[in-house]
Amino acid sequence: MADPRADKAFPVSWDQFHRDARALAWRLSDKGSWQAIVCVTRGGLVPAAVIARELGIRLIETVCVASYHDYKEQGGLEVLKPVGQSFIDLGGGDGAGILVVDDLVDTGATAKVVRAMVPKCHYATMYAKPAGQPLVDTFITEVSQDTWIYFPWDMGYSFQPPIAQGEK
Ligand SMILES: O=P(O)(O)OC[C@H]1O[C@H](OP(=O)(O)OP(=O)(O)O)[C@H](O)[C@@H]1O
Ligand SMILES: [Mg+2]
C-alpha cells in the first residue's frame, strides 16, 4: 500500500528528468555491461530510452505491470506481460545480463514481482522511497515515503496562487 499520507510533492520537469536519467546512465556505466534492457511499463519506458541511448543498448524488452490504477491508489498488482523467455535466457536463464529500468520504486511491490522473473538482473530506478530501496541496485535520488513524485508526463501548466494568499 502506498503511504496514504504521501502529501509532500516532488514535481519533476522534463529537463530535470532528462538530467537525472543521464546521471543514472553515468552511474550505471561503470557497474557492468548488459546485453538488454527490460523496461517496466509504462513509467520505465521514458528513462529506458535515455539509458539505452547513453549506454548503446539496442535490445529492449518490456515487462508490463499495473499497480496504481488511480491517483495515489495502489490496486491489485497485475502482470499484463511477463519478461520474454528469450531475454531471461540471455545470461543463462536467471536474468544475468539484464538491466531492469523503472521510473521509481515506492513500496517495492512491482520490483519484487519483476525480480522474481529475472533474479540476477541489475535493477535501476530514477527515484526510490525507503520501503522499496532494498530491492533496487542503483538509483539517483531518494525521496521520503510521505512524498508523491509528479512526473512531467502527468502534469500541465496551471495558475499557482501566491504563497501569501494561502496563509489567509
Ligand atoms: O514500488 P511500487 O509501490 O510497486 O510502485 C512503483 C511502481 O508504480 C508505478 O507504476 P504504475 O503501476 O502506476 O503503472 P505505470 O508505470 O503504468 O504508471 C511506477 O511506475 C512503478 O512501476
Ligand atoms: Mg510503473
Side-chain angles (χ1 to χ4, degrees):
M1 178 77 184
D3 192 327
R5 295 162 300 132
D7 53 3
K8 292 182 194 151
F10 184 87
V12 183
S13 67
W14 281 113
D15 273 3
Q16 187 182 339
F17 193 88
H18 193 185
R19 262 196 299 274
D20 288 345
R22 276 226 172 102
L24 182 56
W26 269 112
R27 198 163 286 184
L28 290 166
S29 64
D30 60 3
K31 286 197 171 175
S33 64
W34 295 282
Q35 288 162 272
I37 287 177
V38 169
C39 66
V40 185
T41 72
R42 295 163 300 180
L45 287 163
V46 190
V50 176
I51 290 163
R53 187 263 181 188
E54 297 300 337
L55 300 186
I57 299 171
R58 289 178 182 267
L59 207 49
I60 316 287
E61 164 70 333
T62 58
V63 57
C64 305
V65 184
S67 172
Y68 291 77
H69 300 280
D70 292 304
Y71 173 59
K72 291 191 185 177
E73 288 295 322
Q74 193 171 26
L77 192 148
E78 273 179 274
V79 177
L80 304 163
K81 180 201 153 299
V83 180
Q85 193 60 46
S86 61
F87 284 82
I88 295 173
D89 290 344
L90 275 178
D94 49 16
I98 295 286
L99 174 63
V100 174
V101 175
D102 203 355
D103 51 1
L104 71 102
V105 65
D106 187 324
T107 63
T110 302
K112 200 169 167 192
V113 299
V114 173
R115 269 196 174 282
M117 297 174 207
V118 281
K120 291 217 174 133
C121 72
H122 189 99
Y123 208 103
T125 64
M126 306 272 291
Y127 308 108
K129 300 188 192 181
Q133 262 181 43
L135 290 143
V136 176
D137 298 302
T138 305
F139 64 91
I140 289 298
T141 301
E142 173 176 355
V143 302
S144 62
Q145 204 67 41
D146 60 353
T147 294
W148 191 259
I149 300 166
Y150 291 90
F151 288 112
W153 52 88
D154 285 332
M155 290 190 295
Y157 288 110
S158 67
F159 174 75
Q160 298 296 304
I163 293 167
Q165 202 169 305
E167 288 169 356
K168 282 181 192 156

